[in-house]
Amino acid sequence: MPKYPSTPAARALFVLGLSALLLALWLQLPMWQAVFGFRPVAPGGGEYMIALFFGLPGLLLSMLLLGIATARAAWRSKAAAIALILAFGVLLGWLALFLRSLFV
C-alpha cells in the first residue's frame, strides 16, 4: 500500500475528504472546548447547534469520501486510511457525547 494516493482520482477523493474532515473539526472546535471546560457554554448553546447541524454532516461527508478512497484497492493509501481512522475516532467521540447526555 503506497503512503499517498497514486492516481488523480484517489488524490482528489483524499484531498476532498481531508478538507471536509478539517472543516468539520474546525466547526466542532467550540463545542469540544465547551465540553472539556475550556470555554463557557454560550446562552442558547450556539456552539452545540453549529457542531450538530454543520460539523456532524461534514464529518459524515468526510467519512464517505475517505471510505470511498480506501475501499477500492487501486486507490487505497496509508494516508487515506489514517484519515479515515481519525474521522472514525471523532465519530466515536460524538457517540460518547450523546451517551453522556442521556445519562447525566
Side-chain angles (χ1 to χ4, degrees):
M1 181 176 351
K3 288 184 180 180
Y4 299 105
S6 55
T7 64
R11 280 192 293 271
L13 277 173
F14 172 69
V15 167
L16 285 173
L18 190 62
S19 299
L21 177 63
L22 292 176
L23 179 66
L25 289 175
W26 180 70
L27 288 170
Q28 294 174 20
L29 184 64
M31 180 202 63
W32 289 112
Q33 287 175 339
V35 166
F36 290 118
F38 295 116
R39 176 185 189 154
V41 177
E47 60 270 349
Y48 288 94
M49 292 301 125
I50 291 174
L52 182 63
F53 292 117
F54 297 109
L56 188 59
L59 177 65
L60 295 174
L61 177 67
S62 73
M63 289 186 69
L64 175 71
L65 293 171
L66 292 169
I68 292 170
T70 57
R72 190 168 175 190
W75 292 352
R76 193 171 298 143
S77 67
K78 287 183 183 177
I82 290 170
L84 182 63
I85 290 169
L86 209 111
F88 188 67
V90 176
L91 188 66
L92 286 178
W94 269 97
L95 180 64
L97 186 66
F98 282 127
L99 290 176
R100 179 179 162 251
S101 70
L102 289 175
F103 297 112
V104 171

Coordinates of all heavy atoms in Angstrom, one line a residue:
M1 N 0.9 -1.2 0.0 CA 0.0 0.0 0.0 C 0.9 1.2 0.0 O 1.8 1.4 0.9 CB -0.9 0.0 1.2 CG -1.8 1.1 1.3 SD -3.0 1.2 2.7 CE -3.0 -0.3 3.5
P2 N 0.7 2.1 -1.0 CA 1.5 3.4 -1.0 C 1.2 4.3 0.1 O 0.1 4.3 0.7 CB 1.2 4.0 -2.4 CG -0.1 3.4 -2.7 CD -0.2 2.1 -2.1
K3 N 2.1 5.2 0.4 CA 1.9 6.1 1.5 C 0.9 7.2 1.2 O 0.1 7.6 2.0 CB 3.2 6.9 1.9 CG 4.2 6.0 2.6 CD 5.4 6.8 3.0 CE 6.4 5.9 3.7 NZ 7.6 6.6 4.1
Y4 N 0.9 7.6 -0.1 CA 0.0 8.7 -0.6 C -0.8 8.2 -1.8 O -0.3 7.3 -2.5 CB 0.8 9.9 -0.9 CG 1.5 10.5 0.3 CD1 2.9 10.4 0.4 CD2 0.8 11.2 1.3 CE1 3.6 10.9 1.5 CE2 1.5 11.7 2.4 CZ 2.8 11.5 2.5 OH 3.5 12.0 3.6
P5 N -1.9 8.7 -2.1 CA -2.7 8.3 -3.2 C -1.9 8.4 -4.5 O -1.2 9.4 -4.7 CB -3.9 9.2 -3.2 CG -4.0 9.7 -1.8 CD -2.6 9.7 -1.3
S6 N -2.0 7.4 -5.4 CA -1.2 7.4 -6.6 C -1.9 7.8 -7.8 O -1.2 8.3 -8.7 CB -0.6 6.0 -6.8 OG -1.7 5.0 -6.8
T7 N -3.2 7.7 -7.9 CA -3.9 8.1 -9.1 C -4.6 9.5 -8.9 O -4.8 9.9 -7.7 CB -5.0 7.1 -9.5 OG1 -6.0 7.1 -8.4 CG2 -4.4 5.7 -9.7
P8 N -4.9 10.2 -9.9 CA -5.5 11.5 -9.8 C -6.9 11.4 -9.1 O -7.2 12.3 -8.3 CB -5.7 12.0 -11.2 CG -4.6 11.3 -12.0 CD -4.5 10.0 -11.3
A9 N -7.7 10.4 -9.4 CA -9.0 10.3 -8.8 C -8.8 10.0 -7.3 O -9.6 10.6 -6.5 CB -9.7 9.1 -9.4
A10 N -7.9 9.2 -6.9 CA -7.6 8.9 -5.5 C -7.1 10.1 -4.8 O -7.5 10.4 -3.6 CB -6.6 7.8 -5.4
R11 N -6.2 10.9 -5.4 CA -5.8 12.1 -4.8 C -6.9 13.1 -4.6 O -7.0 13.8 -3.6 CB -4.7 12.8 -5.7 CG -3.3 12.2 -5.4 CD -2.2 13.0 -6.1 NE -2.3 13.0 -7.5 CZ -1.7 12.1 -8.3 NH1 -1.0 11.1 -7.8 NH2 -1.8 12.2 -9.6
A12 N -7.8 13.2 -5.6 CA -8.9 14.2 -5.5 C -9.9 13.7 -4.3 O -10.3 14.6 -3.5 CB -9.7 14.2 -6.8
L13 N -10.2 12.5 -4.2 CA -11.0 12.0 -3.1 C -10.4 12.2 -1.8 O -11.0 12.6 -0.8 CB -11.4 10.5 -3.3 CG -12.5 10.2 -4.3 CD1 -12.6 8.7 -4.5 CD2 -13.8 10.7 -3.7
F14 N -9.1 11.9 -1.7 CA -8.3 12.1 -0.5 C -8.3 13.6 -0.1 O -8.6 13.9 1.1 CB -6.9 11.6 -0.6 CG -6.1 11.9 0.6 CD1 -6.3 11.3 1.8 CD2 -5.0 12.8 0.5 CE1 -5.5 11.6 2.9 CE2 -4.2 13.1 1.6 CZ -4.5 12.5 2.8
V15 N -8.0 14.5 -1.0 CA -8.0 15.9 -0.7 C -9.4 16.4 -0.3 O -9.5 17.2 0.7 CB -7.4 16.7 -1.8 CG1 -7.6 18.2 -1.7 CG2 -5.9 16.4 -2.0
L16 N -10.4 16.0 -1.0 CA -11.8 16.4 -0.6 C -12.2 15.9 0.7 O -12.8 16.6 1.5 CB -12.8 16.0 -1.7 CG -12.8 16.8 -3.0 CD1 -13.7 16.1 -4.0 CD2 -13.2 18.2 -2.8
G17 N -11.9 14.6 1.0 CA -12.2 14.0 2.3 C -11.5 14.6 3.4 O -12.0 14.9 4.5
L18 N -10.2 14.9 3.2 CA -9.4 15.5 4.3 C -9.8 17.0 4.5 O -9.9 17.4 5.7 CB -7.9 15.5 3.9 CG -6.9 15.9 5.0 CD1 -7.0 14.9 6.2 CD2 -5.5 15.9 4.5
S19 N -10.2 17.7 3.4 CA -10.7 19.1 3.6 C -12.0 19.1 4.3 O -12.2 19.9 5.2 CB -10.8 19.7 2.2 OG -9.6 19.8 1.5
A20 N -12.9 18.2 4.0 CA -14.1 18.1 4.7 C -13.9 17.7 6.2 O -14.6 18.3 7.1 CB -15.1 17.1 4.1
L21 N -13.0 16.9 6.5 CA -12.7 16.5 7.9 C -12.1 17.7 8.6 O -12.5 18.0 9.8 CB -11.7 15.3 7.9 CG -11.2 14.9 9.3 CD1 -12.4 14.4 10.1 CD2 -10.1 13.8 9.2
L22 N -11.2 18.4 8.0 CA -10.6 19.6 8.7 C -11.7 20.7 8.9 O -11.7 21.3 10.0 CB -9.4 20.1 7.9 CG -8.2 19.2 7.9 CD1 -7.1 19.8 7.0 CD2 -7.7 19.0 9.3
L23 N -12.5 20.9 8.0 CA -13.6 21.9 8.1 C -14.6 21.4 9.2 O -15.0 22.2 10.0 CB -14.4 22.1 6.8 CG -15.5 23.0 6.8 CD1 -15.0 24.4 7.1 CD2 -16.3 23.0 5.6
A24 N -14.9 20.2 9.3 CA -15.8 19.6 10.3 C -15.2 19.8 11.7 O -15.8 20.2 12.6 CB -16.1 18.2 10.0
L25 N -13.9 19.5 11.8 CA -13.2 19.7 13.1 C -13.2 21.1 13.5 O -13.3 21.5 14.7 CB -11.8 19.1 13.0 CG -11.7 17.6 13.0 CD1 -10.3 17.1 12.8 CD2 -12.3 17.0 14.2
W26 N -13.0 22.0 12.5 CA -12.9 23.5 12.8 C -14.3 23.9 13.3 O -14.4 24.8 14.2 CB -12.5 24.2 11.6 CG -12.4 25.7 11.8 CD1 -11.5 26.4 12.6 CD2 -13.3 26.7 11.3 NE1 -11.8 27.7 12.6 CE2 -12.9 27.9 11.7 CE3 -14.4 26.6 10.4 CZ2 -13.5 29.1 11.4 CZ3 -15.0 27.8 10.0 CH2 -14.6 29.0 10.5
L27 N -15.4 23.4 12.7 CA -16.7 23.8 13.1 C -17.1 23.2 14.5 O -17.9 23.8 15.2 CB -17.7 23.4 12.1 CG -17.7 24.1 10.7 CD1 -18.6 23.4 9.7 CD2 -18.2 25.5 11.0
Q28 N -16.5 22.1 14.8 CA -16.8 21.4 16.1 C -15.9 21.9 17.2 O -16.2 21.6 18.4 CB -16.6 19.9 15.9 CG -17.6 19.3 15.0 CD -17.3 17.8 14.8 OE1 -16.6 17.2 15.6 NE2 -17.8 17.3 13.7
L29 N -14.9 22.6 16.9 CA -13.9 23.0 18.0 C -14.6 23.8 19.1 O -14.3 23.5 20.3 CB -12.8 23.8 17.3 CG -11.7 24.3 18.3 CD1 -11.0 23.0 18.8 CD2 -10.7 25.2 17.6
P30 N -15.4 24.8 18.9 CA -16.0 25.5 20.0 C -16.9 24.6 20.9 O -16.9 24.7 22.2 CB -16.9 26.6 19.4 CG -16.4 26.8 18.1 CD -15.8 25.5 17.6
M31 N -17.6 23.6 20.3 CA -18.3 22.7 21.1 C -17.4 21.8 22.0 O -17.7 21.6 23.2 CB -19.2 21.8 20.2 CG -20.0 20.8 21.0 SD -20.5 19.3 20.1 CE -19.0 18.5 19.7
W32 N -16.4 21.3 21.4 CA -15.5 20.4 22.2 C -14.8 21.2 23.3 O -14.5 20.7 24.3 CB -14.5 19.7 21.3 CG -15.1 18.7 20.4 CD1 -15.2 18.7 19.0 CD2 -15.7 17.4 20.8 NE1 -15.9 17.5 18.6 CE2 -16.2 16.8 19.7 CE3 -15.8 16.8 22.1 CZ2 -16.8 15.5 19.8 CZ3 -16.5 15.6 22.1 CH2 -16.9 15.0 21.0
Q33 N -14.5 22.5 23.0 CA -13.9 23.3 24.1 C -14.9 23.5 25.2 O -14.5 23.5 26.4 CB -13.5 24.7 23.5 CG -12.3 24.6 22.6 CD -12.0 26.0 22.0 OE1 -12.9 26.8 21.9 NE2 -10.8 26.1 21.5
A34 N -16.2 23.7 24.9 CA -17.2 23.8 25.9 C -17.4 22.5 26.7 O -17.6 22.4 27.9 CB -18.5 24.2 25.3
V35 N -17.3 21.4 26.0 CA -17.5 20.0 26.6 C -16.4 19.8 27.6 O -16.6 19.3 28.7 CB -17.5 18.9 25.6 CG1 -17.4 17.6 26.2 CG2 -18.8 19.0 24.8
F36 N -15.1 20.1 27.3 CA -14.0 19.9 28.1 C -13.7 21.0 29.1 O -12.7 20.9 29.9 CB -12.7 19.5 27.3 CG -12.8 18.2 26.6 CD1 -12.8 18.2 25.2 CD2 -13.0 17.0 27.3 CE1 -12.9 16.9 24.6 CE2 -13.1 15.8 26.7 CZ -13.0 15.8 25.3
G37 N -14.5 22.0 29.1 CA -14.4 23.1 30.1 C -13.4 24.2 29.8 O -13.1 25.0 30.7
F38 N -12.9 24.3 28.6 CA -12.0 25.3 28.2 C -12.7 26.6 27.8 O -12.1 27.6 27.6 CB -11.1 24.9 27.1 CG -10.2 23.7 27.5 CD1 -10.3 22.5 26.8 CD2 -9.3 23.9 28.4 CE1 -9.5 21.4 27.2 CE2 -8.4 22.8 28.8 CZ -8.6 21.6 28.2
R39 N -14.0 26.5 27.7 CA -14.8 27.7 27.2 C -16.2 27.6 27.9 O -16.8 26.5 28.0 CB -14.9 27.6 25.7 CG -15.7 28.6 25.0 CD -15.8 28.2 23.5 NE -16.4 29.3 22.9 CZ -16.2 29.6 21.6 NH1 -15.4 28.9 20.9 NH2 -16.8 30.6 21.0
P40 N -16.8 28.7 28.3 CA -18.1 28.6 28.9 C -19.1 28.4 27.8 O -19.0 28.8 26.6 CB -18.3 30.0 29.5 CG -17.4 30.9 28.8 CD -16.2 30.1 28.4
V41 N -20.2 27.8 28.1 CA -21.3 27.5 27.2 C -22.1 28.8 27.0 O -22.4 29.5 27.9 CB -22.2 26.4 27.7 CG1 -23.4 26.2 26.7 CG2 -21.5 25.1 27.9
A42 N -22.3 29.2 25.7 CA -23.0 30.4 25.4 C -24.5 30.2 25.7 O -25.0 29.1 25.7 CB -22.8 30.7 23.9
P43 N -25.1 31.3 26.1 CA -26.6 31.2 26.3 C -27.3 30.7 25.0 O -27.1 31.3 23.9 CB -27.0 32.6 26.6 CG -25.8 33.3 27.0 CD -24.6 32.6 26.3
G44 N -28.0 29.7 25.1 CA -28.7 29.1 23.9 C -27.9 28.0 23.3 O -28.4 27.3 22.4
G45 N -26.6 27.8 23.7 CA -25.8 26.7 23.2 C -25.5 26.8 21.7 O -25.6 25.8 21.0
G46 N -25.1 27.9 21.2 CA -24.9 28.1 19.8 C -23.8 27.2 19.3 O -23.8 26.7 18.1
E47 N -22.7 27.0 20.1 CA -21.6 26.1 19.6 C -22.1 24.7 19.4 O -21.6 24.0 18.5 CB -20.4 26.2 20.6 CG -20.7 25.7 22.0 CD -21.2 26.9 22.9 OE1 -21.1 28.0 22.5 OE2 -21.6 26.5 24.0
Y48 N -23.1 24.2 20.2 CA -23.6 22.9 20.0 C -24.4 22.8 18.7 O -24.4 21.8 18.0 CB -24.5 22.5 21.2 CG -23.6 22.2 22.4 CD1 -23.4 23.2 23.4 CD2 -23.1 20.9 22.6 CE1 -22.7 22.9 24.5 CE2 -22.3 20.7 23.7 CZ -22.1 21.7 24.7 OH -21.3 21.4 25.8
M49 N -25.2 23.9 18.4 CA -26.0 23.8 17.2 C -25.2 23.9 15.9 O -25.4 23.2 15.0 CB -27.0 25.0 17.2 CG -28.0 25.0 18.3 SD -29.0 23.5 18.1 CE -28.9 22.8 19.7
I50 N -24.1 24.7 15.9 CA -23.2 24.7 14.8 C -22.5 23.4 14.6 O -22.4 22.9 13.5 CB -22.2 25.9 14.9 CG1 -22.9 27.2 14.8 CG2 -21.1 25.7 13.9 CD1 -22.0 28.4 15.1
A51 N -22.1 22.8 15.7 CA -21.4 21.5 15.6 C -22.4 20.4 15.1 O -22.0 19.5 14.4 CB -20.8 21.1 16.9
L52 N -23.6 20.5 15.6 CA -24.6 19.4 15.3 C -25.1 19.6 13.9 O -25.2 18.6 13.1 CB -25.7 19.5 16.3 CG -26.8 18.4 16.1 CD1 -26.2 17.0 16.3 CD2 -27.9 18.7 17.0
F53 N -25.4 20.8 13.4 CA -26.0 20.9 12.1 C -25.1 21.2 11.0 O -25.4 21.0 9.8 CB -27.1 22.1 12.2 CG -28.2 21.7 13.0 CD1 -28.5 22.5 14.2 CD2 -29.1 20.7 12.7 CE1 -29.6 22.2 14.9 CE2 -30.1 20.4 13.5 CZ -30.4 21.1 14.6
F54 N -23.8 21.5 11.3 CA -22.8 21.7 10.2 C -21.6 20.8 10.4 O -21.1 20.2 9.4 CB -22.4 23.2 10.1 CG -23.5 24.1 9.8 CD1 -24.0 25.0 10.7 CD2 -24.0 24.1 8.5 CE1 -25.0 25.9 10.4 CE2 -25.0 25.0 8.2 CZ -25.5 25.9 9.1
G55 N -21.1 20.7 11.6 CA -19.9 19.9 11.8 C -20.2 18.4 11.7 O -19.3 17.7 11.1
L56 N -21.3 17.9 12.2 CA -21.5 16.4 12.1 C -21.8 16.0 10.7 O -21.3 15.0 10.2 CB -22.7 16.0 13.0 CG -23.0 14.5 13.2 CD1 -21.7 13.8 13.7 CD2 -24.1 14.3 14.1
P57 N -22.6 16.7 9.9 CA -22.8 16.3 8.5 C -21.5 16.4 7.7 O -21.2 15.6 6.8 CB -23.8 17.3 7.9 CG -24.6 17.7 9.1 CD -23.6 17.7 10.2
G58 N -20.6 17.4 8.0 CA -19.3 17.5 7.4 C -18.4 16.3 7.7 O -17.7 15.8 6.9
L59 N -18.5 15.9 9.0 CA -17.8 14.7 9.4 C -18.3 13.4 8.6 O -17.5 12.6 8.2 CB -17.9 14.5 10.9 CG -17.3 13.3 11.5 CD1 -15.8 13.4 11.4 CD2 -17.7 13.1 12.9
L60 N -19.6 13.3 8.5 CA -20.1 12.1 7.8 C -19.7 12.2 6.3 O -19.4 11.1 5.7 CB -21.6 12.1 8.0 CG -22.1 11.8 9.4 CD1 -23.6 11.9 9.5 CD2 -21.6 10.5 9.9
L61 N -19.7 13.4 5.7 CA -19.3 13.5 4.3 C -17.8 13.1 4.2 O -17.5 12.5 3.2 CB -19.5 14.9 3.8 CG -19.1 15.3 2.4 CD1 -19.9 14.5 1.4 CD2 -19.1 16.7 2.2
S62 N -17.0 13.6 5.1 CA -15.6 13.2 5.0 C -15.4 11.7 5.2 O -14.5 11.1 4.5 CB -14.8 14.0 6.1 OG -15.0 13.5 7.4
M63 N -16.2 11.1 6.0 CA -16.0 9.6 6.2 C -16.5 8.9 4.9 O -15.9 7.9 4.5 CB -16.9 9.2 7.4 CG -16.3 9.6 8.7 SD -17.1 8.9 10.1 CE -16.7 7.1 9.9
L64 N -17.5 9.4 4.3 CA -17.9 8.9 3.0 C -16.8 9.0 1.9 O -16.5 8.0 1.3 CB -19.2 9.5 2.5 CG -19.7 9.1 1.1 CD1 -20.3 7.7 1.2 CD2 -20.8 10.0 0.6
L65 N -16.3 10.2 1.8 CA -15.2 10.4 0.8 C -14.0 9.6 1.1 O -13.4 8.9 0.2 CB -14.9 11.9 0.6 CG -16.0 12.7 0.1 CD1 -15.6 14.2 0.2 CD2 -16.3 12.4 -1.4
L66 N -13.6 9.6 2.3 CA -12.4 8.8 2.7 C -12.6 7.3 2.6 O -11.7 6.5 2.3 CB -11.9 9.2 4.1 CG -11.3 10.6 4.1 CD1 -11.1 11.1 5.6 CD2 -10.0 10.8 3.4
G67 N -13.8 6.9 2.9 CA -14.2 5.5 2.8 C -14.2 5.0 1.4 O -13.7 3.9 1.1
I68 N -14.6 5.9 0.4 CA -14.5 5.5 -1.0 C -13.1 5.5 -1.4 O -12.7 4.6 -2.2 CB -15.3 6.5 -1.8 CG1 -16.8 6.4 -1.6 CG2 -15.0 6.3 -3.3 CD1 -17.7 7.5 -2.2
A69 N -12.3 6.4 -0.9 CA -10.9 6.4 -1.3 C -10.1 5.2 -0.7 O -9.1 4.8 -1.3 CB -10.2 7.7 -0.7
T70 N -10.6 4.6 0.3 CA -9.9 3.4 0.8 C -10.5 2.1 0.4 O -10.0 1.0 0.6 CB -9.8 3.4 2.4 OG1 -11.1 3.5 2.9 CG2 -8.9 4.6 2.8
A71 N -11.8 2.1 -0.1 CA -12.5 0.9 -0.4 C -11.9 0.2 -1.7 O -11.8 -1.0 -1.7 CB -13.9 1.2 -0.6
R72 N -11.5 1.0 -2.7 CA -11.0 0.4 -3.9 C -9.5 0.2 -3.8 O -8.8 1.1 -3.3 CB -11.3 1.4 -5.0 CG -11.0 0.8 -6.4 CD -11.6 1.7 -7.4 NE -11.2 1.2 -8.7 CZ -11.3 1.8 -9.8 NH1 -11.9 3.0 -9.9 NH2 -11.0 1.2 -11.0
A73 N -9.1 -1.0 -4.1 CA -7.7 -1.4 -3.9 C -6.7 -0.5 -4.7 O -5.6 -0.2 -4.2 CB -7.5 -2.8 -4.3
A74 N -7.1 -0.1 -5.9 CA -6.2 0.8 -6.7 C -6.1 2.2 -6.1 O -5.1 2.9 -6.4 CB -6.7 0.9 -8.1
W75 N -7.0 2.6 -5.3 CA -7.0 4.0 -4.7 C -6.5 4.0 -3.3 O -6.2 5.1 -2.7 CB -8.4 4.6 -4.7 CG -8.9 4.9 -6.1 CD1 -8.2 4.8 -7.3 CD2 -10.2 5.3 -6.4 NE1 -9.1 5.2 -8.3 CE2 -10.3 5.5 -7.8 CE3 -11.4 5.5 -5.7 CZ2 -11.4 5.9 -8.5 CZ3 -12.5 5.9 -6.3 CH2 -12.5 6.1 -7.7
R76 N -6.3 2.8 -2.7 CA -6.0 2.8 -1.2 C -4.6 3.3 -1.0 O -3.7 3.1 -1.7 CB -6.1 1.3 -0.8 CG -6.1 1.1 0.7 CD -6.4 -0.3 1.0 NE -7.8 -0.7 0.6 CZ -8.1 -1.8 0.0 NH1 -7.2 -2.8 -0.1 NH2 -9.3 -2.1 -0.4
S77 N -4.5 4.0 0.1 CA -3.2 4.5 0.6 C -3.2 4.6 2.1 O -4.3 4.6 2.7 CB -2.9 5.9 0.0 OG -3.8 6.9 0.5
K78 N -2.0 4.7 2.7 CA -1.9 4.8 4.1 C -2.5 6.1 4.6 O -3.1 6.1 5.7 CB -0.4 4.6 4.5 CG 0.1 3.2 4.4 CD 1.5 3.1 4.9 CE 2.0 1.7 4.7 NZ 3.4 1.6 5.1
A79 N -2.2 7.2 3.9 CA -2.7 8.5 4.3 C -4.2 8.5 4.4 O -4.8 9.0 5.3 CB -2.2 9.6 3.4
A80 N -4.9 7.9 3.4 CA -6.4 7.9 3.4 C -6.9 7.0 4.5 O -7.9 7.3 5.2 CB -6.9 7.4 2.1
A81 N -6.2 5.9 4.8 CA -6.6 5.0 5.8 C -6.5 5.7 7.2 O -7.4 5.6 8.1 CB -5.8 3.7 5.8
I82 N -5.4 6.4 7.4 CA -5.2 7.1 8.7 C -6.2 8.2 8.9 O -6.8 8.4 10.0 CB -3.7 7.6 8.7 CG1 -2.8 6.5 8.9 CG2 -3.6 8.6 9.9 CD1 -1.3 6.9 8.7
A83 N -6.5 8.9 7.8 CA -7.5 10.0 7.9 C -8.9 9.4 8.2 O -9.7 10.0 9.0 CB -7.6 10.8 6.6
L84 N -9.2 8.2 7.6 CA -10.5 7.6 7.9 C -10.6 7.1 9.3 O -11.6 7.3 10.0 CB -10.7 6.4 6.9 CG -12.0 5.7 7.1 CD1 -13.2 6.6 6.7 CD2 -12.0 4.5 6.1
I85 N -9.5 6.6 9.8 CA -9.5 6.2 11.3 C -9.6 7.4 12.2 O -10.3 7.3 13.2 CB -8.2 5.4 11.5 CG1 -8.2 4.0 10.8 CG2 -7.9 5.2 13.0 CD1 -6.9 3.3 10.8
L86 N -9.0 8.5 11.8 CA -9.1 9.7 12.6 C -10.6 10.2 12.6 O -11.1 10.6 13.6 CB -8.2 10.8 12.0 CG -7.7 11.8 13.0 CD1 -6.3 11.6 13.2 CD2 -8.0 13.2 12.5
A87 N -11.2 10.2 11.4 CA -12.6 10.6 11.3 C -13.5 9.6 12.1 O -14.5 10.1 12.8 CB -13.1 10.6 9.9
F88 N -13.2 8.3 12.1 CA -14.0 7.4 12.9 C -13.8 7.7 14.4 O -14.8 7.5 15.1 CB -13.6 6.0 12.5 CG -14.4 4.9 13.1 CD1 -15.7 4.8 12.7 CD2 -13.9 4.1 14.1 CE1 -16.6 3.8 13.3 CE2 -14.7 3.1 14.7 CZ -16.1 3.0 14.2
G89 N -12.6 8.1 14.8 CA -12.4 8.4 16.2 C -13.3 9.6 16.6 O -13.8 9.6 17.7
V90 N -13.4 10.6 15.8 CA -14.2 11.8 16.1 C -15.7 11.4 16.1 O -16.4 11.8 17.0 CB -14.0 12.9 15.0 CG1 -14.9 14.1 15.3 CG2 -12.5 13.4 15.1
L91 N -16.1 10.5 15.3 CA -17.5 10.0 15.3 C -17.7 9.2 16.6 O -18.8 9.3 17.2 CB -17.7 9.1 14.1 CG -19.2 8.7 13.9 CD1 -20.1 9.9 13.6 CD2 -19.3 7.6 12.8
L92 N -16.8 8.4 17.1 CA -16.9 7.8 18.4 C -17.0 8.8 19.5 O -17.7 8.6 20.5 CB -15.7 6.8 18.6 CG -15.8 5.5 17.8 CD1 -14.5 4.7 18.1 CD2 -17.0 4.7 18.1
G93 N -16.3 9.9 19.4 CA -16.4 11.0 20.4 C -17.8 11.6 20.4 O -18.4 11.9 21.5
W94 N -18.5 11.7 19.2 CA -19.8 12.1 19.1 C -20.8 11.1 19.8 O -21.7 11.5 20.6 CB -20.3 12.3 17.7 CG -20.1 13.7 17.2 CD1 -19.0 14.1 16.4 CD2 -20.9 14.8 17.3 NE1 -19.2 15.4 16.1 CE2 -20.3 15.9 16.6 CE3 -22.1 15.0 18.0 CZ2 -20.9 17.1 16.6 CZ3 -22.7 16.3 17.9 CH2 -22.1 17.3 17.3
L95 N -20.5 9.9 19.6 CA -21.3 8.8 20.2 C -21.2 8.9 21.7 O -22.2 8.8 22.5 CB -20.9 7.4 19.7 CG -21.7 6.3 20.3 CD1 -23.2 6.3 19.9 CD2 -21.1 5.0 19.8
A96 N -20.0 9.1 22.2 CA -19.8 9.2 23.7 C -20.4 10.4 24.2 O -21.0 10.4 25.3 CB -18.3 9.2 24.0
L97 N -20.4 11.5 23.5 CA -21.1 12.7 23.9 C -22.6 12.5 24.0 O -23.2 13.0 25.0 CB -20.8 13.9 23.0 CG -21.3 15.3 23.3 CD1 -20.5 15.7 24.6 CD2 -21.0 16.2 22.2
F98 N -23.2 11.9 23.0 CA -24.6 11.6 23.1 C -25.0 10.7 24.2 O -26.0 10.9 24.9 CB -25.1 11.0 21.8 CG -25.3 12.0 20.7 CD1 -24.7 11.9 19.5 CD2 -26.1 13.2 20.9 CE1 -24.9 12.8 18.5 CE2 -26.3 14.1 19.9 CZ -25.7 13.9 18.7
L99 N -24.2 9.6 24.4 CA -24.5 8.7 25.5 C -24.3 9.4 26.9 O -25.1 9.2 27.8 CB -23.5 7.5 25.5 CG -23.8 6.5 24.3 CD1 -22.8 5.4 24.3 CD2 -25.2 6.0 24.4
R100 N -23.3 10.3 27.0 CA -23.1 11.1 28.2 C -24.4 12.0 28.5 O -24.8 12.1 29.6 CB -21.9 11.9 28.1 CG -21.6 12.8 29.3 CD -20.3 13.6 29.1 NE -20.3 14.7 30.0 CZ -20.4 15.9 29.7 NH1 -20.6 16.3 28.5 NH2 -20.4 16.9 30.6
S101 N -24.9 12.6 27.4 CA -26.1 13.4 27.6 C -27.3 12.6 28.0 O -28.2 13.2 28.7 CB -26.3 14.3 26.4 OG -26.8 13.4 25.4
L102 N -27.4 11.4 27.7 CA -28.5 10.6 28.1 C -28.5 10.2 29.6 O -29.5 10.1 30.2 CB -28.6 9.3 27.3 CG -28.9 9.4 25.8 CD1 -28.8 8.1 25.1 CD2 -30.3 10.0 25.7
F103 N -27.3 10.0 30.1 CA -27.1 9.5 31.5 C -26.8 10.6 32.5 O -26.6 10.3 33.7 CB -26.1 8.4 31.5 CG -26.5 7.2 30.7 CD1 -25.8 6.8 29.6 CD2 -27.6 6.5 31.1 CE1 -26.2 5.8 28.8 CE2 -28.0 5.4 30.3 CZ -27.3 5.0 29.2
V104 N -26.6 11.8 32.1 CA -26.3 12.9 33.0 C -27.5 13.8 33.3 O -28.3 14.0 32.5 CB -25.1 13.7 32.5 CG1 -24.9 15.0 33.3 CG2 -23.9 12.9 32.5

